[in-house]
Amino acid sequence: MTEENIAQTILDKLPELLQIDRIAPPGDYGISPDLSEPFLLSVPESRRVQNLRADIIAAAETFAPIQRRGTSRILDLASFQAWVNRHKDEDSVIFGEISETPSMTAVIDYNRAGPAEASLDRDPRARHGRHRAHYEFPLSQEWKDWTSIDGEDLSGPDMGEFIEAHAKDVLNPTAALLGNGAPQDDWERDFIAVAGMLNGRFATYQRLNMLSREFTVNEVSNLSTSFNRDTGEQVIQFQNEHRDPEGNPVSVPNLFIIAIPVFDGGPHYRIPVRFRYRKKGAGVAFIISMHDPKVALRNAVEEAFTMTTAATDLPLYIGKPEAPTAA
């Protein structure tokens, strides 16, 4: 074979080698493959198959996306509800998480209700779950302040300064809580039960304010302590100048009430606070502990969940949604 014939043969073969063929699923040719058997194709070794799907989708989305996707980070409860109402359809859902950092996640394109259909065909109820909004409840500064010292040892001056700085949060007990009348509301009955369980009585703000000044001014030393089971008061006997204006030992109530919002801009919740002390070296450490703060947190979250389901008319599930499907 001459060199001219070899060159001509290569030129004649080039159109066949360079031809681009579309490879389609078997169903396009009316074939229903039996997946229990091998499905074999004979392909030229020198040919390269290229998937242009991503390029085609990118070109199609030059001026507008094919599908809504992404997660919005919402900073306000009302805005979260408004965003959901703007985008929702009849299959959208909301997931709520109750924890120390509670949150809600709306999934607009959530899977439609009904059983999954396992087949080679597309499940008509399946959706991608890529269009979402996430809202993290912003804890109030008051909640952060009180939880930051919850159960911690405080010196007398530190405790006094904290009480004075947060005086607006302290509520005076009602007559019923002071034992001067019958309770009128359920919360009063609950607080009376707490006092009975802890064998204590609630202090007025004036009493706490006086104590805060005492603890701010005086250093603690040479003391003895006792507990009056009849009145529920703890008594600190300072051997030096630490007595009340009548010359009696300083009595420390073991309960008081605060009313603070759990979330920024949210309603205030009444919370009983236990006031204790313990000897620490030659002095005393004061301990302020909120009674069951998780109850107030859960109540605040559940109230927000209820408001959101009412505002959006969507189901809310406790938990986290599935991960969105891959693009």
Side-chain angles (χ1 to χ4, degrees):
M1 183 179 290
T2 64
E3 291 183 1
E4 182 178 350
N5 289 337
I6 294 174
Q8 185 61 47
T9 300
I10 293 174
L11 288 174
D12 292 342
K13 279 288 186 181
L14 278 177
E16 178 183 344
L17 295 173
L18 297 178
Q19 180 179 346
I20 300 175
D21 295 327
R22 176 174 177 266
I23 298 178
D28 281 9
Y29 303 114
I31 301 173
S32 298
D34 182 358
L35 296 181
S36 64
E37 299 292 334
F39 188 86
L40 304 178
L41 292 176
S42 176
V43 296
E45 290 187 11
S46 59
R47 301 293 296 274
R48 178 170 63 91
V49 175
Q50 184 172 355
N51 183 1
L52 300 180
R53 177 178 177 274
D55 296 333
I56 294 172
I57 291 176
E61 290 190 324
T62 300
F63 300 107
I66 294 175
Q67 180 191 60
R68 299 176 186 180
R69 56 182 176 265
T71 301
S72 299
R73 302 287 173 177
I74 310 297
L75 303 179
D76 174 80
L77 181 60
S79 297
F80 178 81
Q81 296 167 357
W83 187 97
V84 171
N85 283 330
R86 177 184 175 91
H87 297 287
K88 70 179 181 180
D89 61 29
E90 63 274 11
D91 297 300
S92 301
V93 299
I94 300 172
F95 287 85
E97 185 177 2
I98 302 176
S99 66
E100 292 183 359
T101 55
S103 64
M104 285 191 292
T105 300
V107 185
I108 298 302
D109 54 334
Y110 196 66
N111 294 330
R112 297 182 176 92
E117 296 185 11
S119 68
L120 290 178
D121 297 327
R122 179 177 178 271
D123 185 343
R125 298 183 180 89
R127 296 206 289 178
H128 291 297
R130 297 177 189 161
H131 191 206
R132 304 179 174 213
H134 185 72
Y135 171 66
E136 294 183 359
F137 290 87
L139 297 173
S140 71
Q141 189 59 51
E142 294 91 338
W143 182 265
K144 293 177 182 178
D145 289 347
W146 285 95
T147 55
S148 69
I149 58 98
D150 188 58
E152 298 293 327
D153 289 357
L154 298 176
S155 68
D158 288 343
M159 190 280 297
E161 290 173 8
F162 184 89
I163 292 296
E164 286 191 351
H166 297 81
K168 63 180 180 59
D169 301 334
V170 180
L171 287 183
N172 271 325
T174 63
L177 297 182
L178 293 175
N180 298 325
Q184 302 298 316
D185 296 303
D186 288 341
W187 74 267
E188 289 180 304
R189 296 182 182 89
D190 292 340
F191 278 38
I192 291 173
V194 169
M197 180 176 61
L198 299 178
N199 199 15
R201 290 187 179 179
F202 290 99
T204 63
Y205 169 72
Q206 291 76 12
R207 183 64 177 146
L208 283 177
N209 190 38
M210 185 275 292
L211 288 173
S212 69
R213 290 196 302 269
E214 288 287 332
F215 295 139
T216 300
V217 171
N218 298 318
E219 289 298 327
V220 180
S221 61
N222 300 322
L223 59 90
S224 62
T225 62
S226 62
F227 178 73
N228 189 326
R229 293 187 178 276
D230 293 330
T231 65
E233 290 183 324
Q234 301 172 87
V235 177
I236 301 177
Q237 174 67 64
F238 299 101
Q239 302 302 322
N240 298 324
E241 74 279 11
H242 304 277
R243 290 175 174 267
D244 64 18
E246 287 74 32
N248 300 314
V250 177
S251 61
V252 183
N254 64 350
L255 290 172
F256 62 96
I257 305 170
I258 60 173
I260 59 174
V262 178
F263 306 123
D264 275 344
H268 286 61
Y269 289 84
R270 302 181 189 91
I271 303 174
V273 179
R274 192 176 182 186
F275 188 28
R276 297 175 294 146
Y277 65 86
R278 67 181 182 86
K279 293 189 68 172
K280 189 173 183 180
V284 65
F286 296 93
I287 306 166
I288 295 176
S289 302
M290 293 192 291
H291 184 72
D292 284 343
K294 291 182 179 180
V295 173
L297 178 62
R298 187 179 187 89
N299 289 341
V301 175
E302 289 179 343
E303 183 175 346
F305 287 173
T306 300
M307 292 170 57
T308 300
T309 55
T312 62
D313 196 28
L314 289 180
L316 188 147
Y317 304 105
I318 304 300
K320 295 182 178 180
E322 310 95 309
T325 61

